[in-house]
Amino acid sequence: MKKILSFMDWGIFALRLYHYILLLSQALAVSEFSIRTLLDVIWLSIAFVIPLLFWFPGRRTNKVWFCILELLLGGSYYVHSVIDPDLTSKADYLLPSLTMGYLLTKQTFWIIPVVVFIPFSFQSYLRLSWEQALSIGTDNLLFCFIGMWVSFVAKAYDQKNKLVAEVERQNKLLTHYSTEIEKMTLLEERNRMSKEIHDTLGHSFISLILSLDASIALMDSKPAEAKDRLTRLRTLAENNLDEMRNIVHEMGEEEESSLIRQVESLVIRFREHTGTVLTLSLPEIEGSIRFEVRQAILRVIQESLTNALKHGKASQLHLELKFSESVLQLSVRNNGNPIDKPNFGFGLTTMKQRVERLGGRLQLLSVEGTPAMTEVRCEIPLIGVMLHGEN
């Protein structure tokens, strides 16, 4: 069902081919081959081939000109075959009517009355009654409506399949987006908590140590025992402070993690959730950057990948990250639908403001062509950065 339109197109094409093969066999069925027979064969060949220059399954889709030429060439041969006394078997116009009904558009709606009134063109010549002519025209109309119904069913199935595929793609994208949001939220919360614990409990422990020092100096009664006990308390407090610092350090490990590893992890999850082709170009040496810069870059990447699938319907993406001593550069390109007027949605606007607060800039570029290309560029200055691995 995924290719129902293509299947229907080829089915209609096969019926039309059968119709013209049948007419050709009728033209060649005469007892003696003559110039008229040759002309009929040429006429049929032209009537079959010329309209296909404007509609062919999977290649050409100019339905208006196909229907016009089918009426002019195939319709005229139909009338000729009916009134020609030398043709032993007369043609009908049912399958061409079905084909034109299948390819009917708003611009070719006038075809419906034409196929009905074609039989009346030879009514007087054959001395047909009005009932006979109307019966033939009704048959043509019936097959035209059958073609329209087949087209409607095929388009309905195609739209349904596209909708199912879009829903599935959006679900994958939503799952990936939710995962990334959860990870980012937890990361920011862990960073906030680690700083808060360090700033509050750390100062509390220092105050405790200073208070104990003062108490030791002021003790008068049982000075030896009190001093010994207070000394142990001071040691315990110092140990607690060291332990708390270790906990804070462990909680803040994500803050000090490698940006390259985080990007690789994000890309792996993106590929798994969406099945999209995404290539990477990452540097071997990573700059030591602040947590805020790293989070901004990750958010820009996430928003760019999401927009490429959701709005651009991209099938291929490329992510490039570059470090220098003064600038971090990010580029996310995709082959999705080009943007007529590149503008920032809510997500990218938020990212743009975030990048600009860090002294950087964010650009959105879109170029039409074969293939089309849309790119998000981001630059954030890194002043006085030392690169890992350098002496």
Side-chain angles (χ1 to χ4, degrees):
M1 289 298 181
K2 290 185 178 180
K3 298 182 179 179
I4 185 69
L5 278 178
S6 177
F7 175 79
M8 290 296 186
D9 283 355
W10 282 106
I12 296 296
F13 175 82
L15 289 175
R16 183 175 183 271
L17 176 62
Y18 167 76
H19 172 77
Y20 279 98
I21 291 177
L22 184 62
L23 292 181
L24 185 62
S25 65
Q26 292 174 359
L28 295 175
V30 295
S31 57
E32 294 183 1
F33 190 84
S34 63
I35 298 297
R36 175 173 291 186
T37 304
L38 179 61
L39 291 176
D40 286 342
V41 171
I42 296 174
W43 193 344
L44 278 173
S45 301
I46 292 175
F48 173 72
V49 173
I50 296 299
L52 293 181
L53 297 177
F54 297 92
W55 176 79
F56 191 86
R59 294 183 181 273
R60 292 174 285 275
T61 57
N62 194 327
K63 299 177 181 179
V64 175
W65 275 105
F66 173 87
C67 292
I68 293 174
L69 292 172
E70 177 64 55
L71 275 175
L72 291 176
L73 300 175
S76 60
Y77 184 84
Y78 165 59
V79 176
H80 161 72
S81 68
V82 172
I83 64 179
D84 191 343
D86 293 335
L87 290 175
T88 57
S89 178
K90 304 306 179 183
D92 58 52
Y93 207 59
L94 301 180
L95 293 180
S97 297
L98 184 145
T99 303
M100 289 186 289
Y102 177 77
L103 299 176
L104 200 68
T105 65
K106 292 181 179 179
Q107 291 77 17
T108 57
F109 207 75
W110 51 268
I111 286 175
I112 294 178
V114 172
V115 297
V116 174
F117 287 104
I118 282 179
F120 292 93
S121 64
F122 51 77
Q123 177 192 12
S124 59
Y125 183 85
L126 297 180
R127 297 180 181 179
L128 298 176
S129 66
W130 283 95
E131 291 78 7
Q132 290 174 315
L134 184 60
S135 175
I136 297 174
T138 304
D139 290 341
N140 292 344
L141 179 64
L142 176 62
F143 272 74
C144 185
F145 277 119
I146 291 175
M148 294 169 61
W149 177 78
V150 171
S151 176
F152 174 79
V153 172
K155 289 178 180 178
Y157 271 106
D158 184 66
Q159 290 296 323
K160 184 203 72 171
N161 292 328
K162 287 181 178 179
L163 182 60
V164 170
E166 178 66 16
V167 169
E168 183 180 354
R169 190 182 66 84
Q170 291 292 344
N171 284 338
K172 290 181 178 179
L173 196 60
L174 181 60
T175 301
H176 168 73
Y177 194 80
S178 299
T179 302
E180 292 301 319
I181 286 293
E182 181 180 3
K183 183 177 180 295
M184 292 289 186
T185 302
L186 290 175
L187 187 57
E188 290 182 350
E189 182 63 16
R190 288 183 64 180
N191 181 67
R192 186 191 67 80
M193 290 180 63
S194 64
K195 289 182 176 180
E196 184 175 342
I197 291 174
H198 180 272
D199 294 339
T200 57
L201 294 182
H203 288 299
S204 297
F205 275 104
I206 292 174
S207 298
L208 176 61
I209 293 171
L210 293 175
S211 298
L212 289 173
D213 285 340
S215 299
I216 292 172
L218 296 174
M219 291 299 295
D220 293 328
S221 60
K222 298 182 180 179
E225 181 179 349
K227 186 175 182 179
D228 180 69
R229 180 175 296 178
L230 292 176
T231 301
R232 290 198 303 270
L233 289 174
R234 186 183 188 282
T235 303
L236 178 60
E238 287 181 328
N239 292 336
N240 289 339
L241 179 60
D242 291 338
E243 184 177 355
M244 183 57 64
R245 283 174 174 167
N246 290 333
I247 294 174
V248 171
H249 177 73
E250 291 176 1
M251 292 182 64
E253 280 185 354
E254 287 287 349
E255 183 180 350
E256 303 299 329
S257 62
S258 165
L259 175 60
I260 292 179
R261 288 197 298 270
Q262 288 181 292
V263 171
E264 290 175 339
S265 177
L266 187 153
V267 168
I268 290 173
R269 290 193 299 272
F270 181 82
R271 288 169 176 164
E272 290 176 350
H273 284 103
T274 65
T276 307
V277 177
L278 173 54
T279 57
L280 282 175
S281 178
L282 300 176
E284 296 181 358
I285 299 176
E286 177 178 343
S288 176
I289 59 179
R290 302 193 312 274
F291 174 81
E292 293 79 7
V293 175
R294 184 160 52 251
Q295 288 297 95
I297 290 296
L298 292 174
R299 286 293 180 87
V300 170
I301 293 174
Q302 179 187 356
E303 188 69 24
S304 301
L305 299 182
T306 301
N307 288 342
L309 288 191
K310 183 177 180 181
H311 302 297
K313 305 296 187 296
S315 59
Q316 294 182 348
L317 299 96
H318 179 73
L319 189 155
E320 184 177 6
L321 192 65
K322 294 181 179 179
F323 285 99
S324 69
E325 292 186 357
S326 58
V327 178
L328 185 154
Q329 295 177 321
L330 169 69
S331 170
V332 182
R333 297 191 296 273
N334 70 79
N335 66 342
N337 299 328
I339 304 173
D340 295 334
K341 295 181 179 180
N343 55 5
F344 290 84
F346 176 77
L348 279 179
T349 298
T350 303
M351 293 302 100
K352 185 173 184 290
Q353 294 172 351
R354 189 170 185 171
V355 169
E356 289 176 348
R357 282 198 299 268
L358 297 171
R361 62 174 181 168
L362 188 69
Q363 293 178 297
L364 176 62
L365 307 173
S366 187
V367 179
E368 295 184 0
T370 306
M373 189 274 291
T374 301
E375 180 181 13
V376 176
R377 294 180 183 174
C378 176
E379 291 186 0
I380 298 179
L382 303 174
I383 307 300
V385 172
M386 292 299 295
L387 301 181
H388 296 305
E390 291 188 346
N391 294 328

